[in-house]
Structures are given as structure tokens and as C-alpha cells.
Amino acid sequence: DGLQSFNLLAENITPSILKPEEHTITPDANKIGMHLNEFNSEELEEAINNYKVAFSLDGDFSGELRQECQNPLMLRFVSEIFKDGTAKLPASITSLELFELYFQRKMEPVENRSLAEIILSRLATLIFASGYRSQLKDEVVSGFAWNNDYEITLQSLFRLGVLSKTVVDEQERVGFEFNKFLLYFYIFKVKRLHSVAPNLQI
């Protein structure tokens, strides 16, 4: 339909994208926000069938979970959480519960969780301060006594799919794989605004 779907994170950081006339232009890939249309019923059914096989998911997508997964990135996100039959797919789960579960599962294999949280907090803070969805790795590591333990932890976050990296003009850039997880992490881990939980729309 020519319109882009912008998430809450994009709208909070770059309010200008709320202008209708700007929704029809091709977005800057470095700017924050996801630009994917939701699945229609047929597409969702086909995608779910494919993901259930690819990720060895146990159970069915129904209720709130199915609604969440109309967004292609959320389907991938949910599949990452419940892959290999780690737990049966729930019919009822909130976005907040999904993100917390994702965070706990992703951190399990990380050798030094505290370093991982430091890296994620630094990156999330830089993203919110700048309004750009990826940051130069050099900027992320500056201010730390960066050592091999930090580097191993960062590489684990890449390997686990929590963070992503790209090379632009021969410089490595780092970002969160899922922007909605970035929003969750920034609010509940960096800012620790637990009091807003009942009203948060992620």
C-alpha cells in the first residue's frame, strides 16, 4: 500500500516520521524504526508453518501470540525464544513477558553476563542519544577499559543474534537485532522504569 509501518521506538526518537507525507518515502537504513508490513492471514499461516519446521517449535500459534506474530520480526523473535522445543508455545503472553524471556534465554550461554549488560546498556544509550539504529563499534567501546573479556562477550552477543554488525565505509557498526527488544532493554534495564510496566505498549 506504499505506507511504511513505524514502531513506537521510531516514533519516540524521530517524531518527524509521524508526518503522513514522510511515510511514503524510502527511509534511511541508519534511522531507527522497522519498515515491514504485517502479514495478511494467508501469509501468516504460511510463515508460521515454515517457522515451525525451521525452528522445531512445539505447539500452536494462537491467541495473543498469533496476533503478535503478524509482524514478521515478532514471528522471528518468538521463534528464537521457543526454538528446538525449549518450551511449548503459549497461547497467552504479553510483549513484556516475551522480551524478558528472550533476554534470559539469550544470556544463558554468555560467560560474563555483567559485561554483556554493560555493552548492551552502552549501545542502547548511544542509540537513544543519537537517534541512529547502529553505532560505530569504536564509539561503543570508548570509555571502557576494553579488554579480551569484553571482546569475547561482544562476539557472543553477535553469535547469539542479540546484536548485529555491519561494515560501512570500512568501519564496523553495531546495533540491536530487534528494535522492540532495544526499547524493552532501554526502559527496563537501562532506565529501570518498572513503574510504567502496566501502561507500556511495546
Side-chain angles (χ1 to χ4, degrees):
D1 57 13
L3 294 179
Q4 301 291 358
S5 174
F6 293 91
N7 64 23
L8 180 62
L9 177 60
E11 293 171 358
N12 284 333
I13 295 176
T14 54
S16 63
I17 65 172
L18 291 172
K19 298 176 184 175
E21 65 271 17
E22 300 224 17
H23 279 200
T24 58
I25 62 174
T26 302
D28 181 342
N30 285 322
K31 295 286 186 180
I32 294 176
M34 284 292 106
H35 311 282
L36 295 176
N37 291 323
E38 290 192 342
F39 290 123
N40 63 34
S41 296
E42 289 179 9
E43 290 169 339
L44 179 59
E45 190 62 37
E46 183 178 348
I48 283 174
N49 290 336
N50 290 336
Y51 272 73
K52 284 181 76 171
V53 172
F55 286 86
S56 302
L57 301 174
D58 180 16
D60 295 312
F61 285 82
S62 59
E64 294 171 4
L65 189 65
R66 188 180 184 89
Q67 278 187 314
E68 287 282 357
C69 291
Q70 283 189 290
N71 179 305
L73 287 176
M74 285 303 290
L75 176 57
R76 170 66 188 271
F77 188 84
V78 168
S79 299
E80 287 273 348
I81 296 171
F82 294 99
K83 68 180 181 180
D84 301 326
T86 43
K88 191 168 184 176
L89 292 166
S92 177
I93 191 166
T94 66
S95 295
L96 187 57
E97 289 169 332
L98 276 176
F99 293 120
E100 183 61 31
L101 191 54
Y102 173 84
F103 181 62
Q104 297 304 328
R105 293 223 171 122
K106 287 296 186 179
M107 289 300 105
E108 283 173 7
V110 176
E111 189 173 329
N112 194 324
R113 179 171 172 156
S114 62
L115 290 187
E117 292 197 32
I118 290 170
I119 293 169
L120 294 173
S121 296
R122 168 76 172 160
L123 178 58
T125 300
L126 287 171
I127 289 172
F128 268 82
S130 70
Y132 287 90
R133 65 195 297 174
S134 67
Q135 300 292 310
L136 290 173
K137 179 186 173 186
D138 290 346
E139 184 67 23
V140 176
V141 306
S142 68
F144 293 143
W146 197 259
N147 57 32
N148 195 49
D149 290 338
Y150 273 108
E151 187 62 34
I152 289 170
T153 303
L154 179 62
Q155 295 307 316
S156 292
L157 293 172
F158 290 142
R159 189 183 72 254
L160 293 167
V162 177
L163 298 182
S164 60
K165 60 181 171 180
T166 56
V167 177
V168 179
D169 297 328
E170 299 182 2
Q171 292 185 304
E172 190 172 331
R173 300 188 69 89
V174 180
F176 279 73
E177 185 69 27
F178 296 104
N179 277 350
K180 286 191 173 186
F181 176 66
L182 162 61
L183 178 59
Y184 156 81
F185 189 85
Y186 185 75
I187 292 173
F188 290 96
K189 301 300 181 184
V190 178
K191 292 297 185 181
R192 304 191 190 287
L193 298 179
H194 296 284
S195 61
V196 305
N199 299 314
L200 182 65
Q201 297 295 317
I202 295 185

